[in-house]
């Protein structure tokens, strides 16, 4: 069951990241429509194989997918070519928000006539944002260290290995390109590859999850490792900052050596742990 919960939130964050790009008019309708249809087919097949599993159909991922499907249907019926780009963004955000609320609080409530299976998760998030909000479930969960805010020791360790500083450089670069693309007046002008903006939004979401609930740090850490692998990618750097083939190998070796100093100590420390 815990694997299922983790999977649905992972898929939901990925879909929300792509949906955010579409709402911000950075992802073309044809691309997003194909992604939504593909995931909808996968959801239907999974629901059939799981004999209409209620938790799957009422999960955050399913509700998000249904909401984006309605948004795509709305955009397909109502042409957006005659509207200003910012008006399109506001309209898409409004349609998605209304669709999400209707599906979440009306259809599920009256169709399934059951309490929200994810209610305790929403309560935990509310208790993190609003410290005065407390229930028995939130007090039970937050008394465990794993559900507390991310401890400062973890941030220090990530900085010592070089993971956080190096990934931060990539994120700042992606943020710059994202803001440039977002505020371009003409949507048809040349933009940076869409995967850069996707990684920026996805990583930001994972970091927020990991900061609020320490147990969820398993999401941002691999994502930060993935970003470091893009450090040598020529597409993300201006031509004057691009490395020659020899310089690439030098930078690569320096990064590996720098990260291995603290990384080797961490591995050695973990190997010394013995179970009772």
């Amino acid at each position: 069951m815990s694997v299922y919960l983790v999977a649905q939130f992972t898929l939901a964050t990925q879909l929300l990241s792509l949906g955010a790009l579409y709402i911000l008019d950075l992802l073309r309708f044809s691309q997003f429509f194909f992604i939504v249809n593909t995931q909808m087919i996968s959801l239907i097949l999974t629901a059939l194989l799981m004999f209409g599993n209620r938790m799957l159909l009422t999960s955050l991922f399913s509700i998000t997918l249904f909401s984006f499907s309605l948004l795509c249907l709305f955009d397909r019926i109502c042409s957006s070519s005659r509207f200003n780009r910012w008006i399109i963004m506001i309209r898409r955000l409004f349609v998605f928000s209304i669709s999400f609320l209707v599906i979440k609080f009306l259809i599920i409530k009256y169709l399934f006539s059951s309490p929200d299976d994810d209610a305790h998760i929403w309560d935990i998030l509310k208790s993190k944002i609003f410290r005065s909000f407390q229930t028995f479930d939130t007090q039970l969960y937050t008394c465990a260290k794993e559900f507390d805010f991310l401890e400062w020791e973890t941030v220090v360790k990530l900085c010592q290995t070089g993971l956080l500083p190096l990934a931060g450089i990539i994120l700042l670069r992606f943020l710059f390109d994202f803001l440039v693309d977002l505020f371009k007046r003409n949507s048809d002008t040349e933009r940076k590859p869409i995967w850069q903006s996707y990684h920026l939004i996805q990583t930001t979401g994972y970091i927020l999850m990991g900061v609020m609930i320490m147990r969820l740090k398993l999401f941002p850490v691999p994502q930060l490792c993935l970003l470091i692998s893009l450090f040598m990618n020529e597409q993300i750097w201006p031509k004057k900052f691009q490395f020659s083939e020899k310089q690439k190998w030098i930078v690569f070796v320096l990064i590996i050596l720098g990260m291995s100093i603290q990384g080797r100590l961490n591995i050695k420390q973990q190997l010394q742990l013995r179970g009772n």
Side-chain angles (χ1 to χ4, degrees):
M1 186 65 68
S2 60
V3 174
Y4 162 75
L5 290 175
V6 171
Q8 65 130 329
F9 277 103
T10 303
L11 293 172
T13 54
Q14 292 175 348
L15 184 59
L16 284 169
S17 299
L18 292 169
L21 293 175
Y22 176 68
I23 291 175
L24 295 173
D25 200 31
L26 297 176
L27 182 64
R28 292 197 300 270
F29 174 82
S30 58
Q31 295 174 317
F32 186 63
F33 187 66
F34 175 78
I35 294 172
V36 170
N37 283 340
T38 303
Q39 296 204 2
M40 182 63 73
I41 294 173
S42 301
L43 177 64
I44 294 173
L45 292 176
T46 304
L48 291 174
L49 293 174
M50 298 180 68
F51 304 101
N53 184 282
R54 181 171 58 86
M55 291 189 65
L56 173 63
L57 296 176
T58 60
S59 65
L60 177 62
F61 168 69
S62 299
I63 297 172
T64 304
L65 182 58
F66 295 146
S67 302
F68 279 128
S69 299
L70 292 177
L71 174 59
C72 289
L73 179 62
F74 181 86
D75 281 351
R76 197 178 185 91
I77 296 174
C78 303
S79 176
S80 302
S81 57
R82 63 180 182 275
F83 292 106
N84 179 273
R85 184 162 170 251
W86 290 95
I87 295 178
I88 295 175
M89 294 183 200
I90 297 173
R91 191 184 71 171
R92 286 175 177 174
L93 179 60
F94 177 78
V95 173
F96 170 75
S97 301
I98 294 299
S99 302
F100 188 92
L101 293 175
V102 169
I103 295 174
K104 177 69 177 176
F105 296 106
L106 293 181
I107 295 180
I108 290 180
K109 179 179 179 180
Y110 292 104
L111 182 61
F112 292 93
S113 300
S114 62
D116 191 352
D117 295 310
D118 298 333
H120 65 288
I121 299 176
W122 296 109
D123 287 343
I124 292 175
L125 293 178
K126 283 190 289 186
S127 69
K128 295 288 185 177
I129 300 174
F130 307 103
R131 303 295 291 178
S132 59
F133 179 84
Q134 294 290 338
T135 64
F136 175 77
D137 286 335
T138 58
Q139 291 179 343
L140 184 64
Y141 276 106
T142 54
C143 68
K145 183 180 179 181
E146 292 77 9
F147 289 90
D148 199 359
F149 286 98
L150 184 68
E151 56 185 6
W152 184 250
E153 180 184 357
T154 301
V155 179
V156 173
K157 288 183 177 180
L158 292 177
C159 291
Q160 289 176 342
T161 58
L163 179 62
L164 199 56
L166 292 175
I169 296 175
I170 303 296
L171 286 176
L172 289 175
R173 175 58 185 166
F174 286 175
L175 178 61
F176 175 80
D177 290 337
F178 172 77
L179 294 176
V180 170
D181 289 344
L182 183 61
F183 290 99
K184 278 183 177 178
R185 293 185 178 181
N186 188 357
S187 59
D188 296 328
T189 54
E190 183 179 356
R191 290 174 175 165
K192 294 294 182 179
I194 196 65
W195 57 265
Q196 296 187 15
S197 299
Y198 167 77
H199 279 301
L200 173 66
I201 298 176
Q202 180 78 76
T203 306
T204 302
Y206 281 163
I207 290 176
L208 290 176
M209 292 167 58
V211 169
M212 295 184 67
I213 302 177
M214 187 177 65
R215 185 181 182 183
L216 298 182
K217 65 183 179 182
L218 60 94
F219 289 109
V221 172
Q223 184 72 14
L224 294 175
C225 294
L226 176 63
L227 290 179
I228 290 184
S229 68
L230 301 173
F231 205 90
M232 314 304 297
N233 193 316
E234 294 182 353
Q235 295 183 15
I236 69 175
W237 304 112
K239 291 184 179 180
K240 61 181 179 180
F241 292 111
Q242 291 181 3
F243 301 113
S244 64
E245 199 66 30
K246 183 177 180 181
Q247 290 173 333
K248 285 183 181 179
W249 281 104
I250 294 175
V251 173
F252 174 76
V253 172
L254 289 176
I255 291 175
I256 295 298
L257 290 176
M259 298 183 70
S260 63
I261 296 175
Q262 184 62 36
R264 181 176 175 274
L265 296 176
N266 292 341
I267 295 175
K268 185 177 180 180
Q269 182 180 6
Q270 292 298 318
L271 292 175
Q272 290 177 348
L273 298 178
R274 295 291 185 271
N276 294 327

